[in-house]
Amino acid sequence: MFGSVLAGCGGEEDASPGGATSGTVTFVYYGDANAQKAYDKLFTTFRKKYPNITLKAQGIAADSWAGFANTVATRLAGGQSLDVVQIATEGQRIFASKRLLEPLDPYIQKDRAAVDAYYADTPPNLRKWLKEYASPDGKTYFMPGGYNTMAMYLNTDLFARAGLEVPQAWTWEEFRTAGKAIKAKTGAFLGVAASGYFTDVMPWLTNNDTSALSADWKTAQYDSPAAVEALTFARSLVVDGLAPKPGGNLEAATLMAKGKLATFGGGRWPTNDLRRVRFVDKVRLVRWPKNAGVGSPVGWDAWPILKQSKNKDAAWTLIKYLISEEFGDAITTGGGGAVPARISDATGADFLKDAPQNTELLVELLKDATPIPGPDRGAECQKVIEEAWLQGISGTKQPQAALTEANAKLQDLLR
Protein backbone atom coordinates (compact mmCIF):
# COMPACT_ATOMS: atom_id res chain seq x y z
CA MET A 1 0.00 0.00 0.00
CA PHE A 2 2.75 2.42 0.91
CA GLY A 3 4.51 1.69 -2.35
CA SER A 4 1.56 2.73 -4.51
CA VAL A 5 0.81 5.84 -2.49
CA LEU A 6 4.46 6.86 -2.39
CA ALA A 7 4.66 6.53 -6.12
CA GLY A 8 1.86 9.03 -6.39
CA CYS A 9 3.73 11.25 -3.95
CA GLY A 10 6.89 11.21 -6.00
CA GLY A 11 8.57 8.23 -4.36
CA GLU A 12 11.88 8.94 -2.65
CA GLU A 13 12.69 12.20 -4.43
CA ASP A 14 15.13 14.47 -2.66
CA ALA A 15 14.04 17.89 -1.39
CA SER A 16 17.54 19.07 -0.55
CA PRO A 17 19.16 21.95 -2.48
CA GLY A 18 19.73 20.73 -6.00
CA GLY A 19 17.46 17.72 -5.38
CA ALA A 20 14.54 16.62 -7.53
CA THR A 21 11.75 18.41 -5.67
CA SER A 22 10.98 21.81 -7.14
CA GLY A 23 8.11 23.98 -8.32
CA THR A 24 5.66 26.25 -6.56
CA VAL A 25 4.03 25.75 -3.17
CA THR A 26 1.17 27.97 -2.02
CA PHE A 27 0.84 28.25 1.75
CA VAL A 28 -2.28 29.93 3.13
CA TYR A 29 -2.64 31.24 6.68
CA TYR A 30 -5.03 33.30 8.79
CA GLY A 31 -3.77 36.88 8.76
CA ASP A 32 -3.58 40.33 7.23
CA ALA A 33 -0.83 42.46 5.67
CA ASN A 34 1.06 42.70 8.96
CA ALA A 35 1.09 38.91 9.25
CA GLN A 36 2.38 38.75 5.67
CA LYS A 37 5.51 40.68 6.66
CA ALA A 38 6.10 38.42 9.65
CA TYR A 39 5.72 35.25 7.58
CA ASP A 40 8.04 36.55 4.88
CA LYS A 41 10.75 36.93 7.53
CA LEU A 42 10.08 33.46 8.93
CA PHE A 43 10.43 31.86 5.49
CA THR A 44 13.68 33.56 4.51
CA THR A 45 15.67 30.52 5.64
CA PHE A 46 13.36 28.10 3.80
CA ARG A 47 13.77 30.00 0.54
CA LYS A 48 17.56 29.98 0.90
CA LYS A 49 17.63 26.30 1.82
CA TYR A 50 15.32 25.19 -0.99
CA PRO A 51 15.95 27.54 -3.92
CA ASN A 52 14.22 25.17 -6.35
CA ILE A 53 10.91 25.62 -4.52
CA THR A 54 8.97 28.84 -5.02
CA LEU A 55 7.01 29.50 -1.86
CA LYS A 56 3.95 31.72 -2.07
CA ALA A 57 2.64 32.61 1.39
CA GLN A 58 -0.80 34.18 1.34
CA GLY A 59 -2.80 35.58 4.25
CA ILE A 60 -6.60 35.51 4.39
CA ALA A 61 -8.32 37.88 6.81
CA ALA A 62 -11.45 36.52 8.54
CA ASP A 63 -13.61 37.10 11.60
CA SER A 64 -12.68 33.75 13.16
CA TRP A 65 -10.68 30.59 12.57
CA ALA A 66 -13.84 28.74 11.62
CA GLY A 67 -14.72 31.51 9.17
CA PHE A 68 -11.21 31.31 7.73
CA ALA A 69 -11.60 27.57 7.20
CA ASN A 70 -14.90 28.06 5.39
CA THR A 71 -13.35 30.77 3.18
CA VAL A 72 -10.50 28.49 2.19
CA ALA A 73 -12.90 25.61 1.51
CA THR A 74 -14.96 27.90 -0.73
CA ARG A 75 -11.87 28.94 -2.67
CA LEU A 76 -10.89 25.33 -3.17
CA ALA A 77 -14.37 24.51 -4.44
CA GLY A 78 -13.99 27.40 -6.87
CA GLY A 79 -10.85 25.86 -8.34
CA GLN A 80 -8.10 27.85 -6.60
CA SER A 81 -4.92 25.81 -6.29
CA LEU A 82 -3.54 25.59 -2.72
CA ASP A 83 -1.00 23.22 -1.21
CA VAL A 84 -0.60 23.73 2.55
CA VAL A 85 -2.94 25.55 4.94
CA GLN A 86 -2.47 26.65 8.53
CA ILE A 87 -5.65 25.51 10.30
CA ALA A 88 -6.59 25.99 13.94
CA THR A 89 -8.71 23.61 15.99
CA GLU A 90 -11.96 25.36 15.08
CA GLY A 91 -11.44 24.58 11.38
CA GLN A 92 -9.72 21.18 11.34
CA ARG A 93 -12.89 19.10 11.43
CA ILE A 94 -14.39 21.28 8.69
CA PHE A 95 -11.57 20.31 6.32
CA ALA A 96 -11.47 16.67 7.35
CA SER A 97 -15.24 16.29 6.96
CA LYS A 98 -15.14 17.79 3.46
CA ARG A 99 -12.46 15.25 2.43
CA LEU A 100 -10.14 18.02 1.28
CA LEU A 101 -6.94 16.59 2.75
CA GLU A 102 -4.21 14.19 1.68
CA PRO A 103 -3.20 11.50 4.21
CA LEU A 104 0.26 12.26 5.58
CA ASP A 105 1.07 8.69 6.70
CA PRO A 106 3.24 7.79 3.67
CA TYR A 107 5.26 11.00 4.07
CA ILE A 108 5.65 10.39 7.79
CA GLN A 109 6.84 6.85 7.06
CA LYS A 110 9.39 8.18 4.59
CA ASP A 111 10.76 10.75 7.06
CA ARG A 112 10.16 8.82 10.26
CA ALA A 113 13.28 10.06 12.04
CA ALA A 114 12.45 13.75 11.56
CA VAL A 115 8.82 13.24 12.59
CA ASP A 116 9.68 11.15 15.64
CA ALA A 117 12.17 13.80 16.76
CA TYR A 118 9.42 16.41 16.47
CA TYR A 119 6.85 14.32 18.32
CA ALA A 120 9.37 13.69 21.11
CA ASP A 121 9.64 17.47 21.63
CA THR A 122 5.91 18.30 21.52
CA PRO A 123 3.13 17.79 24.09
CA PRO A 124 1.60 14.31 23.61
CA ASN A 125 -1.90 15.78 23.98
CA LEU A 126 -1.60 17.69 20.70
CA ARG A 127 -1.12 14.48 18.73
CA LYS A 128 -3.80 12.70 20.76
CA TRP A 129 -6.37 15.46 20.18
CA LEU A 130 -5.63 15.63 16.44
CA LYS A 131 -6.26 11.91 16.15
CA GLU A 132 -9.43 12.11 18.25
CA TYR A 133 -11.03 15.16 16.67
CA ALA A 134 -9.51 15.61 13.20
CA SER A 135 -9.07 12.08 11.89
CA PRO A 136 -12.43 10.67 10.82
CA ASP A 137 -10.91 7.47 9.41
CA GLY A 138 -7.84 6.89 11.57
CA LYS A 139 -5.40 8.35 9.04
CA THR A 140 -3.07 11.24 9.83
CA TYR A 141 -4.06 14.46 8.09
CA PHE A 142 -2.27 17.10 10.17
CA MET A 143 1.08 17.83 11.74
CA PRO A 144 0.53 19.81 14.97
CA GLY A 145 1.82 23.36 15.34
CA GLY A 146 1.73 25.97 18.09
CA TYR A 147 -1.11 26.29 20.58
CA ASN A 148 -2.80 28.68 22.98
CA THR A 149 -4.37 28.20 26.37
CA MET A 150 -6.16 30.99 28.26
CA ALA A 151 -4.58 32.67 31.26
CA MET A 152 -5.42 35.99 32.85
CA TYR A 153 -3.05 38.92 32.34
CA LEU A 154 -2.92 40.85 35.63
CA ASN A 155 -1.78 44.43 36.26
CA THR A 156 0.42 44.06 39.35
CA ASP A 157 0.66 47.84 39.79
CA LEU A 158 -3.11 48.23 40.15
CA PHE A 159 -3.30 45.34 42.60
CA ALA A 160 -0.56 46.91 44.70
CA ARG A 161 -2.31 50.31 44.68
CA ALA A 162 -5.49 48.61 45.88
CA GLY A 163 -3.58 46.85 48.67
CA LEU A 164 -4.13 43.42 47.15
CA GLU A 165 -1.75 40.50 46.80
CA VAL A 166 -1.41 38.83 43.42
CA PRO A 167 -3.36 35.55 43.66
CA GLN A 168 -1.80 32.19 42.94
CA ALA A 169 -5.33 30.82 42.49
CA TRP A 170 -8.72 32.39 43.11
CA THR A 171 -12.44 31.79 42.98
CA TRP A 172 -15.09 33.76 41.14
CA GLU A 173 -16.15 35.51 44.33
CA GLU A 174 -12.55 36.34 45.24
CA PHE A 175 -12.20 37.79 41.75
CA ARG A 176 -15.31 39.95 42.28
CA THR A 177 -14.11 41.08 45.72
CA ALA A 178 -10.75 42.11 44.26
CA GLY A 179 -12.56 44.04 41.55
CA LYS A 180 -14.60 46.01 44.06
CA ALA A 181 -11.46 46.99 45.97
CA ILE A 182 -9.70 48.04 42.77
CA LYS A 183 -12.71 50.04 41.61
CA ALA A 184 -13.01 51.81 44.97
CA LYS A 185 -9.34 52.69 45.34
CA THR A 186 -8.21 53.28 41.75
CA GLY A 187 -11.36 53.67 39.62
CA ALA A 188 -10.11 50.99 37.22
CA PHE A 189 -12.20 48.21 35.75
CA LEU A 190 -11.55 44.66 36.92
CA GLY A 191 -11.84 43.10 33.47
CA VAL A 192 -13.67 43.22 30.15
CA ALA A 193 -17.00 41.71 29.12
CA ALA A 194 -16.94 40.24 25.64
CA SER A 195 -18.26 37.25 23.73
CA GLY A 196 -15.33 35.71 21.89
CA TYR A 197 -15.79 31.94 21.72
CA PHE A 198 -12.22 31.04 22.69
CA THR A 199 -11.26 34.18 24.63
CA ASP A 200 -14.38 34.80 26.72
CA VAL A 201 -17.03 32.07 26.58
CA MET A 202 -14.85 28.98 26.98
CA PRO A 203 -12.69 30.23 29.88
CA TRP A 204 -15.78 30.89 32.02
CA LEU A 205 -17.29 27.54 31.02
CA THR A 206 -14.19 25.42 31.57
CA ASN A 207 -13.61 26.98 34.99
CA ASN A 208 -17.10 25.86 35.93
CA ASP A 209 -16.45 22.30 34.75
CA THR A 210 -18.46 22.50 31.53
CA SER A 211 -18.22 23.28 27.82
CA ALA A 212 -20.50 24.35 24.98
CA LEU A 213 -20.58 20.81 23.58
CA SER A 214 -20.03 17.32 24.96
CA ALA A 215 -16.54 15.86 24.91
CA ASP A 216 -17.18 14.10 21.58
CA TRP A 217 -18.68 17.29 20.06
CA LYS A 218 -21.91 15.46 19.22
CA THR A 219 -24.28 16.93 21.81
CA ALA A 220 -24.98 20.55 22.70
CA GLN A 221 -24.86 21.32 26.43
CA TYR A 222 -24.80 25.09 26.24
CA ASP A 223 -27.91 25.43 28.40
CA SER A 224 -26.59 23.29 31.27
CA PRO A 225 -26.96 24.72 34.79
CA ALA A 226 -23.19 25.23 34.91
CA ALA A 227 -23.19 27.20 31.63
CA VAL A 228 -26.10 29.37 32.79
CA GLU A 229 -24.28 29.99 36.07
CA ALA A 230 -21.14 31.05 34.18
CA LEU A 231 -23.01 33.50 31.95
CA THR A 232 -24.90 34.86 34.93
CA PHE A 233 -21.63 35.57 36.71
CA ALA A 234 -20.09 37.24 33.64
CA ARG A 235 -23.18 39.43 33.36
CA SER A 236 -22.96 40.38 37.04
CA LEU A 237 -19.53 41.93 36.48
CA VAL A 238 -21.13 44.39 34.07
CA VAL A 239 -24.08 45.05 36.39
CA ASP A 240 -21.70 45.73 39.28
CA GLY A 241 -19.67 48.18 37.20
CA LEU A 242 -16.57 46.01 37.35
CA ALA A 243 -16.44 45.59 33.56
CA PRO A 244 -17.38 48.11 30.87
CA LYS A 245 -20.58 47.52 28.93
CA PRO A 246 -20.03 45.20 25.96
CA GLY A 247 -19.43 46.80 22.60
CA GLY A 248 -16.82 48.97 21.00
CA ASN A 249 -13.24 48.12 20.22
CA LEU A 250 -11.40 48.00 23.53
CA GLU A 251 -7.61 47.94 23.37
CA ALA A 252 -7.02 45.93 26.52
CA ALA A 253 -3.23 46.31 26.61
CA THR A 254 -3.49 50.08 26.13
CA LEU A 255 -6.13 50.41 28.85
CA MET A 256 -3.99 48.34 31.19
CA ALA A 257 -0.91 50.48 30.52
CA LYS A 258 -2.97 53.59 31.32
CA GLY A 259 -4.01 52.13 34.67
CA LYS A 260 -7.64 51.68 33.67
CA LEU A 261 -7.82 47.87 33.53
CA ALA A 262 -6.73 45.32 36.12
CA THR A 263 -7.04 42.08 34.12
CA PHE A 264 -7.82 40.63 30.72
CA GLY A 265 -7.70 37.14 29.28
CA GLY A 266 -5.36 35.83 26.65
CA GLY A 267 -2.94 33.22 25.40
CA ARG A 268 0.47 34.19 24.06
CA TRP A 269 -0.66 36.86 21.61
CA PRO A 270 -1.28 39.77 24.08
CA THR A 271 2.43 39.72 24.94
CA ASN A 272 3.11 41.44 21.62
CA ASP A 273 0.54 44.14 22.46
CA LEU A 274 2.11 44.71 25.86
CA ARG A 275 5.51 45.04 24.25
CA ARG A 276 4.09 47.63 21.90
CA VAL A 277 2.80 49.77 24.80
CA ARG A 278 5.92 49.00 26.87
CA PHE A 279 4.07 47.56 29.84
CA VAL A 280 5.38 44.00 30.00
CA ASP A 281 7.23 44.39 33.32
CA LYS A 282 4.11 45.30 35.31
CA VAL A 283 2.10 42.27 34.21
CA ARG A 284 1.88 38.73 35.59
CA LEU A 285 -0.01 35.75 34.22
CA VAL A 286 -2.35 34.01 36.67
CA ARG A 287 -4.97 31.31 36.36
CA TRP A 288 -8.51 32.20 35.41
CA PRO A 289 -10.80 32.42 38.47
CA LYS A 290 -12.43 29.06 39.18
CA ASN A 291 -15.80 27.95 40.43
CA ALA A 292 -16.78 24.27 40.09
CA GLY A 293 -13.59 23.29 38.31
CA VAL A 294 -10.17 24.37 37.11
CA GLY A 295 -9.63 24.60 33.39
CA SER A 296 -8.75 26.39 30.21
CA PRO A 297 -9.71 26.05 26.58
CA VAL A 298 -6.93 25.03 24.24
CA GLY A 299 -6.63 25.49 20.51
CA TRP A 300 -3.75 24.53 18.26
CA ASP A 301 -2.52 25.15 14.75
CA ALA A 302 -1.92 22.28 12.37
CA TRP A 303 -0.62 21.81 8.84
CA PRO A 304 -2.15 19.49 6.23
CA ILE A 305 -1.48 18.94 2.54
CA LEU A 306 -4.50 19.65 0.37
CA LYS A 307 -5.70 16.70 -1.70
CA GLN A 308 -5.82 18.82 -4.87
CA SER A 309 -2.21 20.00 -4.43
CA LYS A 310 -0.24 19.60 -7.66
CA ASN A 311 3.09 19.53 -5.85
CA LYS A 312 2.70 17.31 -2.81
CA ASP A 313 6.42 16.52 -2.49
CA ALA A 314 7.30 20.20 -2.20
CA ALA A 315 4.33 20.71 0.14
CA TRP A 316 5.69 18.02 2.45
CA THR A 317 9.12 19.64 2.30
CA LEU A 318 7.51 22.84 3.58
CA ILE A 319 5.77 20.96 6.42
CA LYS A 320 9.07 19.32 7.36
CA TYR A 321 10.53 22.80 7.63
CA LEU A 322 7.59 23.95 9.77
CA ILE A 323 8.27 21.14 12.28
CA SER A 324 12.03 21.69 12.28
CA GLU A 325 14.05 23.07 15.18
CA GLU A 326 15.10 25.85 12.83
CA PHE A 327 11.56 27.11 12.31
CA GLY A 328 10.63 26.57 15.96
CA ASP A 329 13.51 28.78 17.06
CA ALA A 330 12.64 31.41 14.45
CA ILE A 331 9.00 31.71 15.45
CA THR A 332 9.92 31.80 19.15
CA THR A 333 12.22 34.78 18.69
CA GLY A 334 10.11 36.37 15.94
CA GLY A 335 7.14 37.44 18.04
CA GLY A 336 4.80 34.55 17.32
CA GLY A 337 1.30 34.79 18.79
CA ALA A 338 1.12 31.20 20.02
CA VAL A 339 3.03 28.93 22.36
CA PRO A 340 5.59 27.08 20.20
CA ALA A 341 4.79 23.42 19.67
CA ARG A 342 8.29 22.32 20.63
CA ILE A 343 8.65 21.93 24.40
CA SER A 344 12.28 23.01 24.16
CA ASP A 345 11.16 26.34 22.67
CA ALA A 346 8.12 26.85 24.90
CA THR A 347 10.17 26.39 28.07
CA GLY A 348 13.32 28.10 26.85
CA ALA A 349 14.82 31.48 27.74
CA ASP A 350 13.89 33.07 24.39
CA PHE A 351 10.18 32.42 24.94
CA LEU A 352 10.25 33.90 28.44
CA LYS A 353 12.38 36.90 27.47
CA ASP A 354 10.59 40.28 27.44
CA ALA A 355 7.36 38.56 28.49
CA PRO A 356 5.05 38.94 31.51
CA GLN A 357 6.00 37.23 34.74
CA ASN A 358 4.87 33.59 34.96
CA THR A 359 4.47 33.21 31.19
CA GLU A 360 5.32 29.53 31.67
CA LEU A 361 1.75 29.18 32.96
CA LEU A 362 0.55 28.94 29.35
CA VAL A 363 2.35 25.61 29.07
CA GLU A 364 1.25 24.38 32.50
CA LEU A 365 -2.41 24.98 31.64
CA LEU A 366 -2.29 22.19 29.04
CA LYS A 367 -2.70 19.70 31.90
CA ASP A 368 -6.21 21.01 32.67
CA ALA A 369 -7.19 22.11 29.17
CA THR A 370 -10.31 21.29 27.16
CA PRO A 371 -10.07 21.42 23.34
CA ILE A 372 -12.31 24.15 21.98
CA PRO A 373 -15.11 22.33 20.15
CA GLY A 374 -14.89 22.67 16.39
CA PRO A 375 -17.48 20.38 14.78
CA ASP A 376 -18.17 19.99 11.07
CA ARG A 377 -20.31 23.15 10.95
CA GLY A 378 -17.99 24.98 13.30
CA ALA A 379 -18.38 28.49 11.89
CA GLU A 380 -22.16 28.36 12.29
CA CYS A 381 -21.87 26.92 15.79
CA GLN A 382 -19.43 29.63 16.82
CA LYS A 383 -21.80 32.36 15.63
CA VAL A 384 -24.66 30.89 17.68
CA ILE A 385 -22.46 30.56 20.78
CA GLU A 386 -21.12 34.10 20.60
CA GLU A 387 -24.47 35.73 19.85
CA ALA A 388 -26.11 34.07 22.85
CA TRP A 389 -23.26 35.01 25.19
CA LEU A 390 -23.42 38.64 24.01
CA GLN A 391 -27.17 38.68 24.65
CA GLY A 392 -26.54 37.45 28.17
CA ILE A 393 -23.72 39.80 29.19
CA SER A 394 -25.40 42.82 27.61
CA GLY A 395 -28.71 42.07 29.32
CA THR A 396 -30.84 41.92 26.18
CA LYS A 397 -31.87 38.39 27.25
CA GLN A 398 -31.76 36.53 30.51
CA PRO A 399 -28.90 33.98 30.57
CA GLN A 400 -31.23 30.98 30.78
CA ALA A 401 -33.35 32.15 27.86
CA ALA A 402 -30.35 33.06 25.70
CA LEU A 403 -28.60 29.74 26.23
CA THR A 404 -31.74 27.60 25.91
CA GLU A 405 -32.50 29.12 22.53
CA ALA A 406 -28.88 28.79 21.42
CA ASN A 407 -28.64 25.18 22.56
CA ALA A 408 -31.54 24.17 20.34
CA LYS A 409 -29.84 25.81 17.35
CA LEU A 410 -26.57 24.10 18.15
CA GLN A 411 -28.18 20.68 18.35
CA ASP A 412 -29.73 21.21 14.92
CA LEU A 413 -26.28 22.12 13.53
CA LEU A 414 -24.76 18.96 15.01
CA ARG A 415 -27.20 16.61 13.32
Side-chain angles (χ1 to χ4, degrees), residues 76 82-84 95-96 98-103 107 137 139 141 304-312:
L76 290 170
L82 304 175
D83 300 289
V84 180
F95 271 71
K98 292 179 181 290
R99 303 184 183 279
L100 298 172
L101 307 179
E102 182 76 11
Y107 300 96
D137 54 9
K139 296 177 182 178
Y141 291 100
I305 295 176
L306 278 299
K307 184 177 288 186
Q308 49 89 287
S309 170
K310 298 176 182 177
N311 202 350
K312 294 183 176 67

Side-chain angles (χ1 to χ4, degrees), residues 30-252:
Y30 180 16
D32 54 16
N34 291 328
Q36 180 81 50
K37 295 177 183 177
Y39 269 107
D40 282 342
K41 290 181 181 178
L42 289 171
F43 289 132
T44 298
T45 301
F46 177 85
R47 291 186 170 105
K48 289 180 179 178
K49 192 171 183 178
Y50 302 104
N52 293 336
I53 298 177
T54 300
L55 174 61
K56 294 183 178 180
Q58 301 177 356
I60 294 178
D63 293 332
S64 66
W65 273 108
F68 165 80
N70 273 347
T71 299
V72 174
T74 299
R75 291 191 180 191
L76 290 170
Q80 185 170 344
S81 180
L82 304 175
D83 300 289
V84 180
V85 183
Q86 178 193 25
I87 309 177
T89 313
E90 296 94 318
Q92 288 160 15
R93 182 76 73 83
I94 294 172
F95 271 71
S97 68
K98 292 179 181 290
R99 303 184 183 279
L100 298 172
L101 307 179
E102 182 76 11
L104 298 182
D105 303 277
Y107 300 96
I108 292 171
Q109 185 71 15
K110 184 173 64 171
D111 288 299
R112 174 60 64 183
V115 173
D116 284 350
Y118 182 63
Y119 283 155
D121 196 23
T122 55
N125 274 349
L126 294 184
R127 190 178 175 189
K128 170 182 174 290
W129 288 327
L130 275 171
K131 184 175 182 180
E132 183 176 354
Y133 293 112
S135 178
D137 54 9
K139 296 177 182 178
T140 304
Y141 291 100
F142 296 94
M143 290 300 294
Y147 62 90
N148 268 306
T149 51
M150 281 294 295
M152 194 160 272
Y153 282 67
L154 184 145
N155 186 332
T156 59
D157 185 52
L158 275 180
F159 269 68
R161 286 168 54 193
L164 300 171
E165 294 185 1
V166 173
Q168 298 301 311
W170 47 355
T171 65
W172 287 3
E173 287 309 316
E174 289 169 340
F175 182 63
R176 188 203 305 275
T177 299
K180 289 180 178 178
I182 290 168
K183 188 75 172 180
K185 295 182 180 181
T186 72
F189 286 113
L190 171 62
V192 297
S195 57
Y197 181 28
F198 184 82
T199 55
D200 302 286
V201 180
M202 284 296 291
W204 289 117
L205 294 183
T206 54
N207 282 283
N208 204 27
D209 200 27
T210 191
S211 179
L213 305 182
S214 59
D216 60 6
W217 299 358
K218 293 181 179 180
T219 305
Q221 55 183 39
Y222 199 32
D223 63 346
S224 68
V228 174
E229 184 181 27
L231 179 51
T232 300
F233 180 79
R235 167 61 181 164
S236 74
L237 299 178
V238 179
V239 173
D240 292 348
L242 302 180
K245 293 180 179 179
N249 186 19
L250 294 176
E251 292 284 347

Side-chain angles (χ1 to χ4, degrees), residues 12 31 101 105 107 119 123 141 204 216 221 254 264 272 277 288 317 352 365 389 399 414:
E12 298 295 325
L101 307 179
D105 303 277
Y107 300 96
Y119 283 155
Y141 291 100
W204 289 117
D216 60 6
Q221 55 183 39
T254 300
F264 63 82
N272 290 327
V277 298
W288 205 273
T317 299
L352 302 177
L365 287 170
W389 197 266
L414 295 174

